[in-house]
Amino acid sequence: MKKEIIRYDPGNSRHRKRVREILWDTGFGGKPLDPFFDEFDLFADLNVLYYTDYEPHHNFLAVADGEIIGYLLGCTDSDRYEKTMKKEIGPKILKSVLSGDYRLSSRDAKFLLRTAYAALDGISHAPFEQYPAHLHIDFDNGFRRIGLGSQIMQVFFDHLRSLGVKGVQLGTSSFHRSALPFYRKLGFTEFARDRLTYHGYWDHTKETMYNIIYVKTL
């Protein structure tokens, strides 16, 4: 198997399409979102639109035998990300929801309400001064534990160091059990853990879930 890491190309529509597809196929603890959500474009816009359309030059793709099988979406300024989501992307998506551009099902509405409630309930992040960058990483099912995850992370760390970025953080969930040892192996340490008392996954897991923030000094 030929394996490589490439830069995300915002001018390549295939790159954007594959990022959104992989997100959908892995969005529920590494499993597809089909049992819990219906509107593909809305979920993708909420989760990856910023990285693909607003700050694409810090993204990397994992390729195996010519096929894109994973991605790392990066941001060097998490404060800018939060402001852009609140002032631009969030209102744009809300307007599209209200105008009917997305075809929302009752499951979608329920999921969104629970996610909003969880956010209002308080989710921590590490100090932006110490850990200004953040990332999201996902791999298609069947392509994990083949070395590309560690490789794409190291490429991103080197990229951040070349820009003078001193720290990076990431958010995950205790539901993503297989990912937690992976992050610790790469030198991340746990910064905060918040109990998620009300979330879209809750009815299906029947267990206490936690939002976990990991940090790494570069």
Side-chain angles (χ1 to χ4, degrees), residues 12-197:
N12 188 328
S13 61
R14 177 61 176 165
H15 286 189
R16 188 178 190 272
K17 183 174 184 289
R18 281 299 292 145
V19 165
R20 294 164 77 89
E21 289 172 346
I22 293 170
L23 170 73
W24 183 263
D25 291 340
T26 61
F28 182 66
K31 298 178 181 180
L33 274 160
D34 299 82
F36 315 103
F37 208 82
D38 294 306
E39 179 48 65
F40 175 95
D41 285 326
L42 174 57
F43 192 85
D45 287 346
L46 284 168
N47 287 277
V48 299
L49 181 67
Y50 175 84
Y51 307 98
T52 59
D53 293 27
Y54 285 76
E55 196 172 346
H57 41 290
H58 304 305
N59 301 333
F60 297 88
L61 303 174
V63 179
D65 290 337
E67 292 295 323
I68 299 168
I69 51 87
Y71 61 74
L72 186 154
L73 306 179
C75 171
T76 60
D77 187 339
S78 297
D79 184 55
R80 178 176 63 231
Y81 163 82
E82 289 205 343
K83 290 176 179 176
T84 303
M85 288 296 295
K86 290 177 181 177
K87 296 180 179 179
E88 295 185 43
I89 297 177
K92 180 180 178 181
I93 290 176
L94 179 59
K95 182 179 178 180
S96 294
V97 168
L98 296 176
S99 64
D101 293 338
Y102 300 111
R103 297 181 179 179
L104 296 187
S105 68
S106 58
R107 290 195 306 174
D108 296 340
K110 186 178 180 181
F111 186 99
L112 292 171
L113 286 172
R114 290 184 168 186
T115 302
Y117 186 93
L120 292 173
D121 203 27
I123 295 178
S124 299
H125 63 71
F128 293 151
E129 296 80 8
Q130 286 180 267
Y131 308 99
H134 73 260
L135 66 94
H136 292 283
I137 181 172
D138 274 308
F139 275 78
D140 242 342
N141 295 309
F143 291 97
R144 295 167 192 145
R145 296 185 176 88
I146 62 172
L148 279 174
S150 297
Q151 188 177 345
I152 201 171
M153 288 285 250
Q154 293 299 336
V155 168
F156 183 61
F157 296 156
D158 290 342
H159 173 68
L160 292 180
R161 292 186 186 105
S162 73
L163 298 174
V165 178
K166 301 301 183 183
V168 58
Q169 59 182 284
L170 64 87
T172 187
S173 163
S174 57
F175 189 72
H176 294 76
R177 297 178 185 86
S178 63
L180 306 185
F182 169 70
Y183 297 138
R184 292 193 290 267
K185 182 180 178 181
L186 287 169
F188 283 91
T189 57
E190 185 174 320
F191 176 83
R193 178 182 290 239
D194 298 318
R195 183 181 179 187
L196 296 180
T197 56

